[in-house]
Amino acid sequence: MKAKCRLEGRQLERRQSHFTACLLVFLGSIAIYRTVVADEGMIPMSELGKLNLIERGIELTADELFNPNAVSLVDGVCRVNGCTGSFVSNQGLIITNHHCAYGAIQKASTTEHDYLLNGFKAVGLTDEIPAPDYTVRVTEDYRDVSEDVLSAIHPQMSFLDRTRAIEKRSKELEAAAERKHSGLRAEVAEMFAGKTYVLFLYTYLKDIRLSFAPPQSVGNFGGEHDNWMWPRHTGDFSFMRAYTAPDGSSATYAAENVPYQPKRFIQVAPQGVDENDTVFLLGYPGKTARHKTASFLTYEQNVRLPMIVDLYGWLIDVMTKAGNQERAVEIQHASRIRSLANVEKRYRGQLTGLRKANIVQTRTDQESQLKAFIDSDPARKGKYGQIFSELDAAYAEVSRETRYEILLDQLRTACRAAAFGFFIYDAAVERLKLDIDREANYMDRNWELSVRQLKTSMGDYHAPTDKIMLAGILERLQREEPALQNKVLNQLIDSPAQIAERSSQWIDQTRLGELAFVESCLTKSPDELTKLDDPILNRVIDLYPTYLKMRETEKEREGRFSHLYASLIEIKQQFLETSFIPDANATLRLTSGRVRGYSPEDAVTKTPITTLTGVIEKTTGVDPFITPLEVIAKYRAKEFGPFRHPKLGDVPVAILYDTDTTGGNSGSPVFNRRGELVGVNFDRCYEATINDFAWDPGYSRSIGVDIRYVLWITGIVYEAEDLLIEMGVTKQ
Amino acid sequence: MKAKCRLEGRQLERRQSHFTACLLVFLGSIAIYRTVVADEGMIPMSELGKLNLIERGIELTADELFNPNAVSLVDGVCRVNGCTGSFVSNQGLIITNHHCAYGAIQKASTTEHDYLLNGFKAVGLTDEIPAPDYTVRVTEDYRDVSEDVLSAIHPQMSFLDRTRAIEKRSKELEAAAERKHSGLRAEVAEMFAGKTYVLFLYTYLKDIRLSFAPPQSVGNFGGEHDNWMWPRHTGDFSFMRAYTAPDGSSATYAAENVPYQPKRFIQVAPQGVDENDTVFLLGYPGKTARHKTASFLTYEQNVRLPMIVDLYGWLIDVMTKAGNQERAVEIQHASRIRSLANVEKRYRGQLTGLRKANIVQTRTDQESQLKAFIDSDPARKGKYGQIFSELDAAYAEVSRETRYEILLDQLRTACRAAAFGFFIYDAAVERLKLDIDREANYMDRNWELSVRQLKTSMGDYHAPTDKIMLAGILERLQREEPALQNKVLNQLIDSPAQIAERSSQWIDQTRLGELAFVESCLTKSPDELTKLDDPILNRVIDLYPTYLKMRETEKEREGRFSHLYASLIEIKQQFLETSFIPDANATLRLTSGRVRGYSPEDAVTKTPITTLTGVIEKTTGVDPFITPLEVIAKYRAKEFGPFRHPKLGDVPVAILYDTDTTGGNSGSPVFNRRGELVGVNFDRCYEATINDFAWDPGYSRSIGVDIRYVLWITGIVYEAEDLLIEMGVTKQ
């Protein structure tokens, strides 16, 4: 129930569910509840000391992994927009996924210099291409601020006030920390809803440049067809570089800037790993729902996921058709399509997985055990007896409103002109307030980044697409009862026959697709904006009270869920007699496991290392299964250099391992037991799309590009030897 | 280029090509040509003595396998219509595939007693249901008659006369053999085209009854979805029983008939086999094209297969829609749909396989080697120098005519009324001739069987379907130039707008759908048939000269190809310095191998034994993945009896092995090294659909139902204990 009013995120998460665990249904394996909870894990830094690292096969101590008072492995890991990255040299060189660098490659590409198509190799530092929409975040420190945050609320508060109070206190703590630690950025993260809050301190680097990207036929080999799938043959990596001002401080792009010197960089291990070897990952997993109720899962399964799958399918279709007309439009829409397609396929996988593995039933059974535990003691029953009925009632309410709310949200998201208009007007209203009282996006500390994201997102504005989007969403709203009852909205949809024509006229007349116009609007007051009389901006202004109400409803719900889940976590910990790991929340986590295949169905085994021969076998010459001639030539000549897997006699391309990841782990370093880089995480197998809801050692598998493929493509195929030297790797 | 004028065969072959052997393209593994030819093998009985059976892991001697002078294993194997079967008791009990008994089960089924849906279990012999459309053929003897057959031709003959002469001499030999061996049936089979001919002697049994069939949700579990696929979970078996007159002679159904006593029956081995165990099969593989030219493969790949895939897709669609309206029609069309769908999917697999494995290129490369060998010696060049250019020219001609000819053939196949009409008129014309001069179908020795097949095929006549079929084929012909130039045909298609209406009127008025009418026609002369003035019969009579010409063209081509391929085989044997196995031709063959998985693609391994747990995992409750409640109950109760696989702890369902099979091997017994029954062959994996064109040890795999699943379903789930006792198997 997170606020959806931000500009559409550029983060590309990637995941995957095929899968045959319906055995669970028949064998009723609900008894393993405790074990599973104990085995899974996206472990926060604060919990590292509690782990038996030796038993996990990790040869580093907790202090060598993370130590706020000294240099540790974590200092080599960073966040690259919504993804994770690793510093792989003392000159700020970062390795992350091709799909994470995609926005930068796309923005640098023109029909003349098509780096998406042909790849990019910088000849020396000066040749590197600035990626102004990128920031790199390095975790510097953290501390628990739960007590401080929770002191701002009291039991008599309404749920809306509760959320507001927590937000405000968090902002105050962030502001205070930033004053104290000049140049760093502070962010409060909720670990357990309504219960645990941690203040993180970050360095934000703002001058990021593109160093090397393989052609997308390598970096996105298999495309949407193979996305969320194993076996995988995608070279999903790129190199970027972070720069600072000459004095080492964070700065936006300037010619005189110098490469950033990380406190620590990750050593590349060109020998890679083999089946059954220990691996571990550090990264910023975004969001999981392992502690949510069966009623939440039911809502997801029956209401939200099917609707998004349907809606996104349509959005993708509209943009794909527009792109088919013209390569320039295709490039414009590429990133948005890829982002939506990724979510759409993940949700389809989740729907299949939820149904086949019968996860709702499993969770219901778990809740029955917990309910029995609650009811077995009168005091417990008095305190916790109503949690489930209250949560169920809340989800029932959400379910009723969701279709309307999602469409209302898409009205100012799918239609880009409306998105820009909403940002402008919302900013104008919010920036009249005291800084601390504003929505986070419009606070001074975030304003520069928000404006940059706005400008970036204007890059894919295409009026003909926008007309179809606007009309299509309005037509869908026409079928929702609450929309018809909203007087302002009703005026837009009361003549179904005219929706398309009106939408077309408004988009023809709006100036919200013009960058100069939008920039001039950013300094105007709400009244001045109204006087501009722009047809799309006017519609947004008319609907603004509706959106404000939706924002309040969301905050009210957040307060309610926060309160209820805090109680649920409390009693669950008592019941399980153990502490457990909070759901992912985009903070730094460690997860460990082994390089390991799995059996997706009876009589089928998937082994955990794919090969270059597999790339060649999949190559049809038709997108997305094209392989560059340079790759084929080096393959035929068997020029594998030192990157040949000794047993397979072939260059390994991708590896599979049973760590616990989710979206946001894209680009995470895959470490061997000594903490050296052996791969870059980029996806999960299809069965593991439901990781977000439940984790299973049988099929929860993540996918990384093998470091040997990275080095072979970079150093041998495209001869970027200087990058290999910079990472301390030789080709011999 | 076999004559296609017979009534549509009921034989259901089943096969499969997914597959990633495009490595071949890159690695150019054409050098293994000789090895591959030596490794593959559907070995005729005449060659058994040359095999090293011990090396193959078979513990029987060649004489124990086949001995025309004594009882041998082969005497336990029979042909059941187009399939293979095994006698598994001394009371004529036969095990074959569910899809081979399908016609019998379908015919016995009504909406009241739906044995397709619910399965069938006879309570004692008297309860068994006659299957009048079935014959069982037992091989009694064979001898080489090549010299005798080839003495009928001389080099000056036209190709047409050549074919006719071979046909006539074969018939004479058959007639002489049948006079000599009263009660047996003689058939001359061409082993190598134009080169080797063998006379086989068979016992034909005509009173065949259905003993046991599982529900089709077991016997066809996975349906078309899983057809040609591994892993497989289909219980594709049924039991039938052969009867004779009380004196032991072959006879059609009569109440007083008694179970047939085979000379030998196959001992069932309830312990089954395990991975890597030796298995061998005996059966009647129908047709392969391993010795055909690259130009033939090109014709298949570019012309014939794509056209059939398209055409059959449409036929299936028409019948499926008709069946959706009414369960009775669905049952009527079920067998024909299944037969067409099976071919359609096989051809799709072959198209994929031909393209991906680049088989045309491989064969072209092989031919280059052979051509170089021919050209290297002037005498050889003089004798064989023109073979390839002549074959290529012949296929070029066939390619030009094929679309027209296939449609012309479908005109009297897809439209059932026309099929019946053609049979009637063709029979009337042919039966005026001397017996020896008639087309084989109409000779006295075949007449009874042909009439029976005609009557059977009338069972699925459904006028509304026939109207669509007739009009659809005519519309397609409308787009073929040769059809427009055929004056008679042109009259039927010259007014495109009227085709549908006319077709509908003719089908409304024809009496060819009425059994009594058709039976009365069978004794009429051509003139009398003309006077009946039946609208469909009239069209057939008008087109009869066209069909006669097509028949002549086919015989002419057969003569030409027979002549050319005889030369090709001759020089190929000289080049390879070895004799090799003739293409399959529906005569008895042995093939051996091991229970063995395979890797269909990089990082994916398929293991060779599936389990009951896999059935349960695949079960969705939606057709074709329904599992009977009885099966689920016994699974949950773990009532596996002695049929549990010791290592898997589960009932094995299907097994995979690397023997060399094709259509016609359906129902083939799968033997262990001692010649005991461990499975019943029913399919190939998808990659192996191209077995017909090329065999490869990497992916050519066949699929059988495991004897343990047969016995578990029969004895434990459906409690047909008497059948187990009859086979000498106990449930304990």
Side-chain angles (χ1 to χ4, degrees), chain A residues 473-595:
Chain A
I473 299 290
L474 287 173
E475 279 156 10
R476 280 169 169 73
L477 274 165
Q478 226 269 326
R479 296 194 287 272
E480 301 300 324
E481 192 52 38
L484 299 169
Q485 285 173 13
N486 177 316
K487 277 182 196 160
V488 182
L489 200 51
N490 195 27
Q491 287 176 1
L492 303 181
I493 56 179
D494 63 350
S495 312
Q498 293 179 11
I499 286 176
E501 197 190 322
R502 277 194 204 156
S503 300
S504 179
Q505 280 173 6
W506 291 332
I507 296 292
D508 280 338
Q509 291 163 11
T510 187
R511 298 186 60 197
L512 286 170
E514 302 166 25
L515 187 57
F517 177 78
V518 166
E519 279 186 314
S520 75
C521 288
L522 290 175
T523 54
K524 289 191 164 46
S525 71
D527 276 356
E528 287 167 337
L529 291 172
T530 307
K531 283 180 192 139
L532 289 173
D533 203 26
D534 183 279
I536 293 292
L537 193 54
N538 280 356
R539 301 290 89 71
V540 168
I541 294 168
D542 290 347
L543 281 168
Y544 192 68
T546 297
Y547 284 115
L548 280 192
K549 184 158 177 295
M550 194 162 86
R551 186 181 280 166
E552 287 212 343
T553 304
E554 281 165 358
K555 284 186 200 280
E556 192 273 338
R557 281 185 200 150
E558 199 180 321
R560 180 192 304 254
F561 284 119
S562 162
H563 169 71
L564 290 169
Y565 275 113
S567 297
L568 181 60
I569 293 295
E570 210 168 78
I571 188 62
K572 208 165 156 183
Q573 276 175 336
Q574 286 177 36
F575 173 55
L576 295 176
E577 293 166 1
T578 171
S579 66
F580 44 83
I581 304 301
D583 271 324
N585 63 345
T587 60
L588 189 61
R589 307 286 182 108
L590 177 141
T591 170
S592 74
R594 285 180 300 129
V595 176

Side-chain angles (χ1 to χ4, degrees), chain A residues 190-244:
Chain A
E190 183 185 66
M191 303 303 281
F192 280 116
K195 223 176 135 44
T196 329
Y197 297 83
V198 173
L199 176 86
F200 287 87
L201 281 170
Y202 301 107
T203 294
Y204 259 66
L205 302 167
K206 297 168 193 165
D207 180 0
I208 312 302
R209 306 184 195 174
L210 184 66
S211 300
F212 178 92
Q216 69 177 349
S217 55
V218 170
N220 191 26
F221 183 79
E224 278 311 311
H225 185 279
D226 275 9
N227 191 16
W228 301 109
M229 293 291 175
W230 182 262
R232 193 62 158 281
H233 296 84
T234 312
D236 193 353
F237 73 94
S238 288
F239 289 99
M240 304 184 88
R241 192 185 299 278
Y243 284 76
T244 62

Side-chain angles (χ1 to χ4, degrees), chain B residues 383-547:
Chain B
K383 190 167 178 195
Y384 301 106
Q386 297 305 310
I387 301 180
F388 284 108
S389 57
E390 286 182 31
L391 279 165
D392 294 353
Y395 285 120
E397 183 201 306
V398 172
S399 294
R400 279 193 300 276
E401 301 292 323
T402 279
R403 292 186 57 85
Y404 166 63
E405 290 173 357
I406 289 176
L407 288 171
L408 206 54
D409 185 52
Q410 285 293 321
L411 189 58
R412 46 133 196 225
T413 310
C415 171
R416 306 306 287 155
F420 311 147
F422 183 84
F423 180 92
I424 291 166
Y425 192 77
D426 197 28
V429 172
E430 287 287 311
R431 288 178 67 81
L432 291 176
K433 299 178 186 171
L434 283 179
D435 192 61
I436 197 85
D437 291 329
R438 296 176 195 161
E439 288 295 306
N441 283 348
Y442 311 113
M443 289 175 71
D444 290 339
R445 59 198 285 273
N446 296 322
W447 182 238
E448 183 191 317
L449 179 63
S450 298
V451 171
R452 207 192 311 149
Q453 285 176 341
L454 168 71
K455 289 183 188 169
T456 302
S457 65
M458 291 191 67
D460 80 356
Y461 180 74
H462 179 62
T465 301
D466 238 36
K467 290 178 182 180
I468 301 171
M469 296 291 192
L470 178 55
I473 300 290
L474 288 174
E475 279 155 10
R476 280 169 168 73
L477 273 165
Q478 226 268 327
R479 296 192 287 270
E480 300 300 325
E481 191 52 38
L484 298 170
Q485 286 173 10
N486 178 315
K487 278 182 196 162
V488 183
L489 201 50
N490 195 25
Q491 287 177 0
L492 302 181
I493 57 180
D494 63 350
S495 313
Q498 293 180 8
I499 287 177
E501 196 190 324
R502 278 194 205 155
S503 299
S504 178
Q505 279 173 7
W506 291 333
I507 296 293
D508 279 338
Q509 290 162 11
T510 187
R511 298 187 59 198
L512 286 169
E514 302 166 24
L515 187 58
F517 176 78
V518 167
E519 278 187 313
S520 75
C521 288
L522 290 173
T523 53
K524 289 192 164 45
S525 71
D527 278 355
E528 287 168 336
L529 291 172
T530 307
K531 282 180 194 142
L532 289 173
D533 203 27
D534 181 278
I536 293 292
L537 195 52
N538 280 357
R539 301 289 88 72
V540 168
I541 294 169
D542 290 347
L543 281 169
Y544 192 69
T546 298
Y547 284 115

Side-chain angles (χ1 to χ4, degrees), chain A residues 20-23 25-27 230-233 356 600-620 632 635-636 638, chain B residues 20-23 25-27 230-233 356 600-620 632 635-636 638:
Chain A
T20 52
C22 58
L23 240 197
V25 185
F26 292 99
L27 301 180
W230 182 262
R232 193 62 158 281
H233 296 84
K356 287 194 90 168
E601 56 171 317
D602 187 31
V604 175
T605 302
K606 299 196 172 182
T607 53
I609 305 181
T610 59
T611 63
L612 184 54
T613 297
V615 174
I616 302 298
E617 285 178 357
K618 269 190 185 171
T619 299
T620 59
I632 293 174
Y635 172 74
R636 285 191 186 168
K638 292 202 177 291
Chain B
T20 54
C22 59
L23 241 198
V25 185
F26 293 98
L27 300 180
W230 182 264
R232 195 62 157 281
H233 296 86
K356 288 196 89 168
E601 55 172 318
D602 188 31
V604 176
T605 302
K606 299 195 172 183
T607 53
I609 304 180
T610 59
T611 64
L612 184 54
T613 297
V615 174
I616 302 298
E617 285 178 356
K618 270 190 184 171
T619 299
T620 59
I632 294 174
Y635 171 75
R636 287 190 184 170
K638 294 202 175 292

Side-chain angles (χ1 to χ4, degrees), chain B residues 3 5 143 145 148-150 152 160-180 184-190 197-201 426 430-431 433-446 551 555 558:
Chain B
C5 59
R143 66 184 167 91
V145 291
D148 213 338
V149 169
L150 294 172
L160 176 58
D161 287 344
R162 210 183 130 88
T163 303
R164 283 179 171 154
I166 289 174
E167 277 184 4
K168 187 163 182 179
R169 175 58 54 88
S170 297
K171 288 177 192 168
E172 288 164 357
L173 288 167
E174 288 165 355
E178 290 185 4
R179 275 194 302 276
K180 190 172 163 195
L184 295 190
R185 192 173 162 87
E187 278 174 26
V188 171
E190 185 185 65
Y197 298 84
V198 171
L199 177 84
F200 287 85
L201 282 170
D426 197 28
E430 287 287 311
R431 288 178 67 81
K433 299 178 186 171
L434 283 179
D435 192 61
I436 197 85
D437 291 329
R438 296 176 195 161
E439 288 295 306
N441 283 348
Y442 311 113
M443 289 175 71
D444 290 339
R445 59 198 285 273
N446 296 322
R551 185 181 280 165
K555 283 185 201 281
E558 197 179 322

